[in-house]
Structure formats: C-alpha cells, structure tokens
Amino acid sequence: MESSLQIWLSKSLVSCWREALAEGIGTFILVFAGTGAVMANYLSEGAITHIGISFVFGAVVAALIYSLGHISDAHFNPAVTLAFWSSGFFSKKRVLPYILGQLMGAIAASTLLLISLGRVANLGATIPLNGNWLQSLVLEFVLTFILMFVILGSGLDRRAHIGFAGLAIGLTVGMEAAFMGPITGASMNPARSFGPALVGGIWQHHWVYWVAPILGAQLAVIVYRQLSYGFRDFQE
C-alpha cells in the first residue's frame, strides 16, 4: 500500500512539478510577507499598524495572482485547491502535490522568519481571541466563504471583467484581515496558519484553521454552482 502511494505521488509530482513549485514559492512569499509584517510590527512597536499588516496581506496576494496565476492558477491555499477540485475545475492528481508545495513554502517562510527576526509575536500564528475557538470557527468559515465566492466570481466566471481578479481577491483578503484579524487572525488559509504553528510549536485550536476554511470554501462552491447554472457560465 505504501509503495503504491509513493509511486502515485511520484507520478503526480513529475506531471506537475513546475506548478507545485510555483505554489510553494507563492505560499512562501505570502507567509514571509504577511506574517513577517506581524513580527516586524511587534519589533517596531506598532510602526506598521494593524491596517498596514492587512494591506500587506492583500497586496502580496494580488501581486502573486498576477505574477504566478498563469503558471499554477495561484491557489496558495489548500482550501482553495480542494474547492477547485470539488468544483470540477482541477485535476485530482494535482491536489496533493499542490497542497504539499503550499505547506512546504509556508514552513520555509516561517523558518526563515524565526532565524532572521527571532521568536516574536508568535511568528504571526493565528490563535482565537481569548481561546474562543467556536467564535473563530464560525468567523473563519464565513471569511473563507466570502473569499472563495470572490475567487469564483472574479476569476472563473466568464461574465466577469477580465484582468481584475487579482485586484478583487487581494482587496478581499486585505478587507477581511482588517476587520476580523484581531478576532481570529483572518487566516482563511490552512497553509498560512500551518507554517507558524509548526515552526513555532503553537498549536492552540489549530484544527479550526483547517476545518473552517475548507468547509467555507466548499459552501462557496455549492452556492456559486447554483448562481452559474451548474458552472455553465464558467470558462473551460
């Protein structure tokens, strides 16, 4: 069984190694810039500010979509990858390589930040405010639903204005980080939460940042499927 899995994974990686590498690089940049802003804000005694951190997250997502979207479709998020797969717009054999690439990129970014900035600000880890995991579970679910809804509407629906997906998605990330970041960390992305958690050993209610984003993204797929006549309005 293990040998068969290794063979299947090897074949999958060979078939899409460029795309998986792009996902790893993109997620590295996302986590390095975003959580790096959190850590630099702590070290500079608030010079960046919460709104500044939110801007960094939104800006880096927009930049990565425009720079890597033509290579890997710019997921940088396991919840997004799984949502694209369940919607029928992404091959099953690419799911695991993409997610592995995303996780490795996040781990590499958090490791470099630990080495260069030290163990400060929990390495930008996402932790529910006051340990209220249920509150964060609900809010992260809704935040990721909104994000995935915007991704589908601006990036895949052929009725959308061409060329604005990166801007729309980046603004959504920045907006959600601005108004809900102090409560949940506004992760919306298991990989973004996993890197700091693993490197920093910070696992408090970490499962929330896997379950809520994945389920929220899946609901967005279900809802948008209805709005687009079973995805018939989507580009092939």
Side-chain angles (χ1 to χ4, degrees):
M1 177 66 73
E2 183 177 351
S3 178
S4 299
L5 178 61
Q6 290 174 343
I7 293 173
W8 177 84
L9 180 58
S10 297
K11 289 182 177 179
S12 297
L13 286 172
V14 168
S15 67
C16 64
W17 70 267
R18 291 179 180 85
E19 293 87 347
L21 178 60
E23 286 292 303
I25 293 171
T27 310
F28 171 87
I29 296 171
L30 168 62
V31 174
F32 183 76
T35 62
V38 175
M39 297 169 70
N41 186 61
Y42 176 86
L43 291 171
S44 63
E45 299 182 349
I48 298 176
T49 75
H50 170 65
I51 295 300
I53 294 170
S54 302
F55 170 79
V56 170
F57 271 109
V60 72
V61 167
L64 289 171
I65 289 172
Y66 288 121
S67 59
L68 291 174
H70 53 282
I71 298 176
S72 69
D73 292 330
H75 296 187
F76 316 129
N77 184 336
V80 172
T81 296
L82 291 170
F84 277 131
W85 167 65
S86 67
S87 66
F89 291 95
F90 192 70
S91 172
K92 179 176 66 175
K93 68 180 181 180
R94 294 189 172 197
V95 170
L96 191 54
Y98 264 52
I99 292 177
L100 287 175
Q102 294 156 3
L103 295 179
M104 293 303 294
I107 293 168
S110 292
T111 301
L112 180 57
L113 287 170
L114 175 63
I115 294 171
S116 57
L117 297 181
R119 190 176 294 274
V120 299
N122 290 324
L123 301 185
T126 49
I127 304 172
L129 180 66
N130 299 323
N132 191 339
W133 64 265
L134 181 58
Q135 180 186 63
S136 289
L137 181 71
V138 172
L139 294 176
E140 284 287 327
F141 175 87
V142 175
L143 291 176
T144 314
F145 168 83
I146 295 171
L147 175 60
M148 193 67 212
F149 192 84
V150 171
I151 291 172
L152 292 169
S154 65
L156 289 183
D157 196 316
R158 64 188 178 189
R159 297 168 294 178
H161 295 291
I162 297 175
F164 287 94
L167 182 60
I169 297 166
L171 285 172
T172 300
V173 171
M175 173 267 294
E176 294 188 317
F179 79 85
M180 211 53 81
I183 309 298
T184 72
S187 173
M188 304 166 277
N189 183 339
R192 175 260 179 269
S193 291
F194 183 76
L198 179 67
V199 175
I202 304 165
W203 297 105
Q204 294 95 317
H205 307 296
H206 178 70
W207 63 272
V208 167
Y209 299 98
W210 283 85
V211 174
I214 290 173
L215 293 181
Q218 292 299 321
L219 179 61
V221 170
I222 293 170
V223 172
Y224 211 93
R225 180 181 283 117
Q226 301 305 313
L227 296 178
S228 60
Y229 303 98
F231 294 132
R232 287 195 293 273
D233 291 317
F234 275 36
Q235 299 175 9
E236 296 297 334

